[in-house]
Amino acid sequence: MRVVIAEDLTLLRDGLTRLLEAFDFEVVAAVDNGPALLPTLLRERPDVAIIDVRLPPTHTDEGLKAAIAARTAIPGLPVLVLSQHVESLYARELLTDSGGGVGYLLKERVSDVEQFVQAVQQVAAGGTALDPEVVTQLLGRRERLAGLTPREQDVLKHIAEGRSNAAIAGRLFITEKVVSKYINNIFTKLGLPPSDDDNRRVLAVLRYLGG
């Protein structure tokens, strides 16, 4: 699996490179600034890009802008964003793109190697991988969740974090059959009919994150 990394902190950039290579990922490019990121993504067309939101020269939103521009040029390009803090506006802007294959993790989560590698794999496969703190902030708006029961809200939160039905069942102490029932209810309330082309789990998460 081919990966592009964008991170200005040398230690973290090198650490990510070594970690991913240890799990048989191929890091095809690692850049440390915003201007270099977009042309690198367009040239390499990686299976997944791991991008810091704030990159030189201004340390504001260079990483995000490059990611959005790259996904416009290459629809569905998988992007996993890393950030020091929850940047709600930035996260919402990226996640409202219905192309799927998006993730947003706090940098502290990188210390959990297994969780981080799974997140990279999920995003590369077209799924979502969101930090629980990001989910809490972005899904915490009651007006968006008014149509769902508290239990359905819990299930959607776990879907957004990238958990399988089995994992959700274990977390909520219910059966997988019950989880499936809740998920079908969520799809119905969000107006997401069965489709062979769209991943309704991703669409459900994006629908809510988009407001």
Side-chain angles (χ1 to χ4, degrees), residues 29-121:
V31 302
D32 63 0
N33 65 87
L37 178 53
L38 179 57
T40 299
L41 292 174
L42 297 181
R43 181 184 70 248
E44 298 294 345
R45 294 177 174 255
D47 297 307
V48 61
I50 301 172
I51 297 172
D52 187 5
V53 169
R54 299 184 174 187
L55 294 171
T58 68
H59 292 281
T60 55
D61 57 1
E62 288 89 347
L64 177 76
K65 286 181 176 178
I68 293 173
R71 283 173 65 90
T72 298
I74 310 172
L77 175 70
V79 172
L80 175 59
V81 172
L82 298 180
S83 181
Q84 196 68 39
H85 308 286
V86 179
E87 306 276 5
S88 298
L89 177 61
Y90 296 151
R92 194 174 300 113
E93 186 173 353
L94 177 65
L95 295 169
T96 50
D97 179 347
S98 61
V102 292
Y104 193 113
L105 297 181
L106 297 182
K107 287 185 176 180
E108 64 189 56
R109 307 295 178 187
V110 178
S111 61
D112 186 329
V113 173
E114 181 178 356
Q115 179 180 335
F116 175 70
V117 171
Q118 288 177 350
V120 175
Q121 293 170 334

Side-chain angles (χ1 to χ4, degrees), residues 7-57:
E7 169 58 56
D8 63 309
L9 297 177
T10 303
L11 288 178
L12 181 53
R13 186 174 64 253
D14 291 349
L16 286 172
T17 298
R18 294 178 183 180
L19 186 157
L20 292 169
E21 289 177 344
F23 283 85
D24 296 325
F25 292 89
E26 179 188 2
V27 178
V28 295
V31 302
D32 63 0
N33 65 87
L37 178 53
L38 179 57
T40 299
L41 292 174
L42 297 181
R43 181 184 70 248
E44 298 294 345
R45 294 177 174 255
D47 297 307
V48 61
I50 301 172
I51 297 172
D52 187 5
V53 169
R54 299 184 174 187
L55 294 171

Side-chain angles (χ1 to χ4, degrees), residues 109-151:
R109 307 295 178 187
V110 178
S111 61
D112 186 329
V113 173
E114 181 178 356
Q115 179 180 335
F116 175 70
V117 171
Q118 288 177 350
V120 175
Q121 293 170 334
Q122 280 179 189
V123 171
T128 58
L130 304 182
D131 192 282
E133 183 60 27
V134 175
V135 174
T136 296
Q137 291 199 27
L138 297 185
L139 296 185
R141 299 187 175 188
R142 300 300 299 181
E143 64 269 21
R144 292 183 184 171
L145 302 176
L148 302 183
T149 67
R151 181 61 91 179

